[in-house]
Amino acid sequence: TQAMVHLGNMYRMGKSVEKDYGRSVQWFRKAAEQGDIIAQHELGISYFTGKGVKKDYAQSVRWHRKAADRGYPPAEYSMALRYAKGKGVRQDYGEAAEWYRKAARHGHPDAQNNLALMYRKGQGVSQDYGEAMAWFRKAAERGHPLAQYNLGNMYLKGQGTAQDPEEAGKWFRKAAQAGHKGAQKALDSLQGGG
């Protein structure tokens, strides 16, 4: 099935072959039906985007769930997004938080950042700045610019920690170096330049 997934990606990206989303989907489907979790996730993406197949959120969820139920972090993250946005499923922030948590525990930095946001807002979970800090930190330490910016804001506002402008500046600087424009503005403002 790895070869099928590889062929699917080649057709999706146009690597060594002419880009052909339809063929890409054919290869992903063959591998997905044989239980390949990466192919199941990729087929879910195809149904979500409508590239190579008619857009179908319910089918997207079906294929993402197959891979997510087997612990594939990108698919767990996709399931969280579906529940957060109500695409193919009824919108349910509690369910979104559960899927973000699963992917976050598997080290998925986008999931870690989004779970932290849910804790900061109290969306789908009880508001808990300490949990928000912990998850922002995990993603920030993995080099996630948005999480670095968010962690900086937590330090700046004293949410889940003592207010610490110096530590805020450290995280804003890291995010700014990675190209996060909001972090650069926050850093300029913190340094009296904005």
Side-chain angles (χ1 to χ4, degrees), residues 12 32 36-49 56-83 87-89 99:
R12 177 183 281 168
D36 187 286
I37 59 176
I38 295 171
Q40 290 168 343
H41 174 64
E42 295 298 335
L43 191 54
I45 289 171
S46 296
Y47 275 111
F48 186 79
T49 61
D56 185 333
Y57 293 142
Q59 281 295 316
S60 174
V61 167
R62 175 180 173 247
W63 287 105
H64 282 299
R65 186 178 303 276
K66 284 179 181 279
D69 284 344
R70 292 176 53 208
Y72 186 55
E76 292 168 336
Y77 178 70
S78 291
M79 287 300 299
L81 292 174
R82 301 300 165 260
Y83 277 105
K87 302 276 187 173
V89 293
W99 284 109

Side-chain angles (χ1 to χ4, degrees), residues 155-190:
Y155 277 110
L156 186 64
K157 295 173 184 175
Q159 294 177 326
T161 185
Q163 196 171 19
D164 188 340
E166 188 175 315
E167 189 69 11
K170 170 187 152 186
W171 289 106
F172 288 150
R173 192 169 298 101
K174 287 180 185 240
Q177 288 169 347
H180 191 283
K181 289 181 176 40
Q184 186 59 57
K185 288 180 185 173
L187 188 57
D188 291 345
S189 179
L190 194 61

Side-chain angles (χ1 to χ4, degrees), residues 22 26 30-31 33 36 62 74 97 100 105 110 122 125 130 139 149 153 158 164 187 189 193-194:
Q26 289 172 354
K30 285 180 184 189
E33 288 171 350
D36 187 286
R62 175 180 173 247
Y100 281 137
R105 286 181 176 152
D110 289 326
V125 294
Y149 171 71
N153 273 316
D164 188 340
L187 188 57
S189 179

